[in-house]
Amino acid sequence: MRRLRGPAAVLATALLLTGCAQSVDPIERLGKKAAEGVRPHAAASGRAHRLWGLTRPLARSPVHPARPLAGHPAAHALPPVIDHVPTRDPVVFLTYDDGAERDPRFVDMVRDLRLPVTLFLTDSVAAPGYGHFARLRALGAGIENHTVDHRAPAGLPYAGQRAEICGQQDRLRARLHVRPRLFRPPYGSYDRTTLRAAAGCGISALVLWRAALTPAGLTYTHGPHRLRPGDVVLVGPDESPGPPLRERTVRVLREVQGRGLTVGRLEDYL
């Protein structure tokens, strides 16, 4: 076996010491460019939660086998509309829309807390910063579909709705090498045509939300006015002025912990 010399030997030694030589981290699978700007994981210190304003570590979510909509009808059927996942696991699901806010410190927080998040991206909003979302994807974030131009789908003709949904499927595949299974219609607006168009674009489910963060706190679309296992949470609003995304996320995490819950990966449950 050829002996490494000079900088190559130093790099190999560093990789072995950090365990990266045998890592299967998604950053390595996406490659150097996607990982650019992502600092090494800090959670091993056991104090990462304090850096982000939490009084205790975020509990790890249960190991849940990935069963993408296994209980739903065959592929030719219309996709279900979901705002709550039936589960006894003590988890909720954090979701984010559009992609307007691209705070590098949010990437740090996702990394430090090993926080599962799902991002529903709109091309006309997110396109200038797809590198930011590649870094989040490298940390395990789910990347899903929120249309090309953020038009409210309900009432649009089939061809227009299909262009919005399938067009974003194509863009996300080209830019981030993903083919989303989940779709969130802008403004939560949809009709039967939306379901037909989504199915034709390879979407397995329309994902709405039961809880949403507003300036006044968490609000609920229906049911109990408290978080419960399986809730899909929309962390918003994504607009200025207001606290940055990481601070809004911490606000939700405190509420999650106060209810004895933690955060799960939505794509594992759908």
Side-chain angles (χ1 to χ4, degrees):
M1 180 173 66
R2 184 170 63 88
R3 183 182 297 274
L4 296 176
R5 298 181 182 277
V10 173
L11 177 59
T13 302
L15 290 172
L16 288 171
L17 289 175
T18 58
C20 292
Q22 300 178 13
S23 171
V24 292
D25 193 284
I27 287 180
E28 294 187 14
R29 294 199 298 270
L30 281 180
K32 181 179 178 181
K33 187 171 182 180
E36 184 180 355
V38 179
R39 295 189 291 108
H41 207 297
S45 68
R47 296 189 296 272
H49 62 285
R50 298 177 188 170
L51 298 176
W52 299 106
L54 299 178
T55 59
R56 62 183 186 275
L58 190 67
R60 294 294 177 86
S61 60
V63 177
H64 189 94
R67 297 179 300 176
L69 300 170
H72 288 288
H76 67 272
L78 296 180
V81 181
I82 293 166
D83 64 10
H84 177 90
V85 175
T87 181
R88 294 183 179 180
D89 291 348
V91 297
V92 298
F93 309 102
L94 301 191
T95 65
Y96 303 78
D97 285 0
D98 304 342
E101 188 170 343
R102 296 182 283 274
D103 180 1
R105 291 288 286 152
F106 181 70
V107 179
D108 293 340
M109 185 176 75
V110 169
R111 183 205 61 240
D112 289 351
L113 298 179
R114 300 182 183 180
L115 185 65
V117 295
T118 297
L119 314 170
F120 289 89
L121 299 183
T122 295
D123 185 72
S124 61
V125 178
Y130 273 130
H132 171 82
F133 300 108
R135 288 188 282 274
L136 284 166
R137 185 190 172 222
L139 294 171
I143 304 294
E144 305 295 350
N145 189 324
H146 197 46
T147 73
V148 173
D149 288 318
H150 209 270
R151 300 172 65 192
L156 295 178
Y158 177 82
Q161 296 204 39
R162 183 180 174 88
E164 284 285 333
I165 301 170
C166 288
Q168 182 63 342
Q169 294 287 86
D170 294 340
R171 285 163 172 77
L172 291 174
R173 180 172 59 181
R175 299 297 298 273
L176 296 176
H177 311 292
V178 296
R179 187 76 178 177
R181 294 184 298 103
L182 307 180
F183 169 62
R184 173 168 286 164
Y187 315 106
S189 164
Y190 70 95
D191 54 19
R192 185 174 178 83
T193 301
T194 312
L195 301 180
R196 290 175 49 231
C201 296
I203 295 296
S204 300
L206 268 66
V207 180
L208 304 182
W209 58 91
R210 196 185 81 84
L213 181 66
T214 71
L218 284 174
T219 61
Y220 300 86
T221 59
H222 61 86
H225 284 206
R226 55 180 172 78
L227 289 176
R228 57 181 182 174
D231 278 345
V232 178
V233 182
L234 171 59
V235 183
D238 189 10
E239 56 192 32
S240 297
L245 190 61
R246 61 184 184 273
E247 292 184 17
R248 302 199 302 273
T249 299
V250 168
R251 186 176 181 183
V252 174
L253 291 177
R254 289 171 179 161
E255 183 74 19
V256 169
Q257 289 186 319
R259 291 291 177 183
L261 302 168
T262 190
V263 181
R265 185 174 182 272
L266 181 62
E267 286 79 0
D268 286 345
Y269 286 76
L270 291 182

